Structure formats: C-alpha cells, structure tokens
Amino acid sequence: MAEHAKRRSSAQEVGRHSLTQLPLHLYPALPNRDHARIRFPQDMPLTTSILSWFVTVALLLLVGAHASSAAPAGSSLEYAEFDDSLFDEEFELDADNDADVDPFERTNRLLFGFNQGVDTFFWRPLTSVYRTAVPRPVRRGLFRALENLRAPVVLVNQLLQGRTRDAGETLGSFVLNSTAGIGGLFDAAEEVGWDPGDEDFGQTLARAGVKPGPYIVVPLFGPNTVRDGVGSLIDIAFDPATYLLGPIQGLFISAPKGFAKKDHTADSLDELERSSVDFYAVLRSAYLQNRAAQVNDDTP
Amino acid sequence: MTGLLVMASVASGPPSGWAIGPAPSSPIQVVERLHEALITTMKSSDELGYAGRYAALEPVLADSFDAGFMSQKSVGRHWKVLDDSARRRLMSAFWTYTVANYAGRFDGYTGEEFVSLGEEESSHGTRLVRTRLRVPEGEVVELDYRLRPVDGGWKVIDMYLDGTVSELALRRSQYSSLIRREGVEALIAALEAKVRDFAAGEVSSD
C-alpha cells in the first residue's frame, strides 16, 4: 500500500514541466542530419575512448572560455526537417548504430556509473530528508522560485535567436512572478497565460546550424552533447548572478538549483529506471530526443 | 463500456491476437477504447490485483497495439539477423513486458482522466492522436499516439510522452544496445526479469 501511495504521488509530479526539464524526447525522428556524421570505430579500446573523451571535454572547455559572443547570423538559420526515421531503412541499418551518436560509450558508461553512485549515496539520502522535512507545496514553490532566476539567461538567448515576442513574455513572466508571485514562489504568469520560456545557448547554437556532436556524460552533471555542453558554459556568462555573486556565494544559488531540480525530476527518473532494461541507453535516448524536440519545437 | 466488450470478446494470447481480432474503427476510437479500459482497470485495481489487471488489459492491448511491428522496430537493424525462434521468443518477451508494464503501473485510481484532442495526418500514411492525461492536483501530461493502418483498422505503433519522447525509440535504444553488447538471449532474459519485477512489486505492496 505504501508503494501505491508512492506511485500516486510520483504520477502527480510527472508533469509537463518536469518532463521538459529532464531527458525525455523523440530523437530518432530527427537525427540523421542533426548529427555529426563522423564514424568512430564501434569497439574503440577503453584507453582510446577515455582519451578521446578527455580531448573532447578539453576542447569544449576551451571553446566555452573563448567564444563568449557567438551570436548566430539571423538569416542563415537552418532547421532540421522532421524526418521519420522509424520507417527509414537507411536509418535502421545505419544511424541507430550507437557509434554515430555515442562514440565514447565505454567512457560514458563508466562516468554514468560514477554519477549513479553519487546519486545513490549522496543525492538520494539528501532528497529523502528534504522530502520528509519540507511539504510538497513548499518544495514546488522553491523549485519555481529558482527556475524564475533563469529568466535573464532565457531572455538573452531568445534575443539572440531574434524571438522578441517570446522575450517579451519571458520578461513579463519574470517581473510578474518576482512581484505578484513573491519572488517566483507562485506562478503568477501562468494565470495570465505567459510562458517563461526555456531557451539556452545550446538551442541558440542549434538554430544557427551547429550540430550536437557526440553524446557525453559529464561527471556530476550527467547527459550532454558537445554543443549543449558549450552552451551551458556560455550561459554561465549570461547569468547576472555570475557577476553579482562571488564564486562562493554563487554556490549558494547553484547548489540549491541543482538540488531542487534533482528533487523535481527524481520521480520521473525512478519510473524510467524501474521500467528499463538498460538505464544508460534509455537516458541517452531520452536526453537526445528531448534536446532535439526543444530545438525543433520552437520553430517560429 | 466498449473496452469491456472488447475484453470479453478477445481472450487469446498475444501472438494470435496480433493480426486478427475485430477490425477497429478510426484511430481516435482505438485510442479512446484503450484509455477507457485503462481507467476501468485502474478503478478496480485493488480487487483485480496484478494478475487480474494483466488479464483484463492484455486483450485490449492486443487489440490496440501492433505488437509485431513494434517488437520488430524495437531492435532496429538486429531484427534482420535473428532466426525464427529468436524472433518468436523476442516478440513474446516484448509483449509480456508491454502488458506487465501497464498492469504493474496502472495500479490505482486517483481521478485521472484522459482527454482526446483530435487526430492528424502523419508521415507514411500514419495518423497521430493527441491526448492529455489529467492528474488531479498534478500537472497535465501530454501523450500522443501514432497509428498505422492494419487489416482495415488502425493499430498503435508508438507513443510520445510529453508529445515528443518516442516510447519505441526509448526501447530501441536499450534493446539494440543490449543485443549488441550481450546478445539477444540477454535481452529476452532482461525483459523476463522485468516482468517478474512488475509482478513482485504487486506482492510486496499488498
């Protein structure tokens, strides 16, 4: 019976928001062209795989450090067309070959195992204490408030993408939620029908035609692609908190952010894990589908 | 109601129920019949228990899903190299897992409600049925179904959670990865183990 209650509450928390936060979406429906079509050997030796992973991440950090104002050219945006790969013979024979999407699979799996360990021994116990101590409405409020703080980053990216209308809604939502919504604890903007938006620099890059590149699992941060990894680094530069707060004070914001997100997505992830036979593969697919959908959904 | 009728009329196991069964009507009707059966089962989930829910849902699912197509697509290119026996056992494991997944997870009713929003054309002659699952005091989950024409009727070949996460793609990612690394027998064993987990979950929660 306790199981029932748990599942019920988990069903309630699996909302639209939590799902878009996390991993989930239709990747194979798009990807043939949306991918760097570099062929990597399927059974790369582990040392080579680890080495390539490090080189990729090092490049990623390098690019992130230098490319701070890479605004996309407004006119030459190229969108991946919806391509139904389910029925595409070529896709079946070729592109669901994991080596295309996930050339560093062996290293990624090791890092995924590490992240899962951190999850089990650190995040889970913490989340369970948090859930016992703080009632659900309060937790939801806190999550919203921290999400509200993302507005500046979302806004910058919308402007870079030339989406002034959406930017207006984001700004309006931010102002409304921060005031009437008491610092974002309540979603006042929803009442008015405004969408706070969900853009990041990874999506901005995608709209400028940048391919996602290989899938990488980043220690402590989880699923990513090279493009979106660079994107998140640049988003740090768009966040006023980066300049307003020192690194230590910044931790006081980013740690709760990560934590509230963990708490918010834990149930959907548990559900996904319970029904999966290969959690690594399911999360990879879900993450890539989700990103592809975020990039493609918001074609203006 | 229709769901109940369908449940009563088809009582066969998966492989025989796949291709035959009463030819259903429009895509949206197929999906609504499935939803009705799910709600009916959820409402009486405690009396039914896991085994009861499994028995009640299996015929409706067999009628709504194109399980042969789905199990084939779920292993991607590996399908071509499997022999007949492996294909049959894989299809059977895929199907049992699919039903067990429903029977294990739709285990209570707290006022959930499915709403169909309509259907639209999709590629390759398929149709998309858009629905929402409303959970009281929770948020709304977008759930879309993709159907293809089979024997004069329509059958579900994929579901999109949140409107975009393809269930079939999630499965293919896992299954082809598992086959590539450990072989098809490992996949079949893993699916069977999951089915046992779903059944056992029920035992421990009662």
Side-chain angles (χ1 to χ4, degrees), chain B residues 17-22 24 30 61-67 146-151 153-158:
Chain B
W18 286 351
I20 50 169
V30 172
L61 291 167
D63 227 37
S64 323
F65 285 88
D66 190 348
R146 182 147 183 222
L147 296 91
R148 71 171 193 138
V150 180
D151 299 333
W154 293 86
K155 291 205 178 213
V156 174
I157 54 166
D158 201 3

Side-chain angles (χ1 to χ4, degrees), chain B residues 37 78 83 97 194-195 206:
Chain B
H78 296 286
D83 62 28
Y97 167 85
K194 276 289 156 188
V195 170
D206 274 346

Side-chain angles (χ1 to χ4, degrees), chain A residues 44 52 128:
Chain A
M44 203 187 282
S52 320
S128 105

Side-chain angles (χ1 to χ4, degrees), chain A residues 1 7 25-26 84 92 275, chain B residues 73 97 107 146 164 205:
Chain A
M1 276 302 128
R7 283 192 200 158
H25 290 310
L26 174 67
D84 193 346
E92 266 191 48
S275 64
Chain B
K73 294 289 176 187
Y97 167 85
D107 62 348
R146 182 147 183 222
T164 27
S205 70

Side-chain angles (χ1 to χ4, degrees), chain A residues 17 137-152 174 177-178 181-187 253 256-257 260:
Chain A
H17 203 57
V138 179
R139 283 186 279 130
R140 282 172 78 136
L142 279 174
F143 177 76
R144 281 199 210 101
L146 291 164
E147 282 292 294
N148 191 44
L149 292 178
R150 289 181 57 225
F174 179 67
N177 284 340
S178 305
I182 316 174
L185 287 172
F186 303 96
D187 196 347
I253 291 290
K257 257 189 197 168

Side-chain angles (χ1 to χ4, degrees), chain B:
Chain B
M1 263 306 126
T2 342
L4 287 173
L5 288 176
V6 175
M7 281 197 272
S9 63
V10 188
S12 54
S16 54
W18 286 351
I20 50 169
S25 6
S26 72
I28 205 162
Q29 283 170 314
V30 172
V31 170
E32 284 181 346
R33 194 153 49 206
L34 170 65
H35 284 166
E36 266 177 50
L38 288 176
I39 295 286
T40 311
T41 310
M42 282 158 85
K43 281 180 177 166
S44 49
S45 70
D46 287 346
E47 304 93 87
L48 288 171
Y50 170 82
R53 293 197 298 272
Y54 190 102
L57 288 172
E58 203 272 327
V60 192
L61 291 167
D63 227 37
S64 323
F65 285 88
D66 190 348
F69 179 92
M70 291 174 84
S71 42
Q72 184 174 333
K73 294 289 176 187
S74 75
V75 293
R77 70 203 159 91
H78 296 286
W79 182 260
K80 293 192 167 65
V81 295
L82 297 178
D83 62 28
D84 256 11
S85 144
R87 285 180 180 180
R88 251 197 307 277
R89 279 177 300 122
L90 181 67
M91 281 166 89
S92 161
F94 177 95
W95 182 248
T96 316
Y97 167 85
T98 304
V99 183
N101 196 7
Y102 273 99
R105 290 161 81 176
F106 284 74
D107 62 348
Y109 183 71
T110 50
E112 288 86 351
E113 190 192 1
F114 287 104
V115 187
S116 318
L117 302 182
E119 64 177 73
E120 59 195 64
E121 199 95 18
S122 190
S123 59
H124 296 83
T126 61
R127 293 191 68 87
L128 214 57
V129 175
R130 300 202 179 275
T131 77
R132 296 282 184 278
L133 170 61
R134 291 209 179 113
V135 185
E137 287 178 50
E139 285 156 291
V140 176
V141 182
E142 203 177 328
L143 190 61
D144 298 341
Y145 292 83
R146 182 147 183 222
L147 296 91
R148 71 171 193 138
V150 180
D151 299 333
W154 293 86
K155 291 205 178 213
V156 174
I157 54 166
D158 201 3
M159 282 172 291
Y160 302 93
L161 186 58
D162 203 21
T164 27
V165 188
S166 154
E167 170 72 23
L168 199 50
L170 289 183
R171 290 204 190 186
R172 183 168 54 194
S173 171
Q174 304 175 68
Y175 297 178
S176 48
S177 162
L178 205 57
I179 292 181
R180 180 170 53 75
R181 291 178 302 121
E182 296 174 41
V184 70
E185 295 307 324
L187 170 60
I188 294 172
L191 288 171
E192 285 168 354
K194 276 289 156 188
V195 170
R196 285 194 295 276
D197 286 352
F198 282 124
E202 176 68 13
V203 175
S204 66
S205 70
D206 274 346

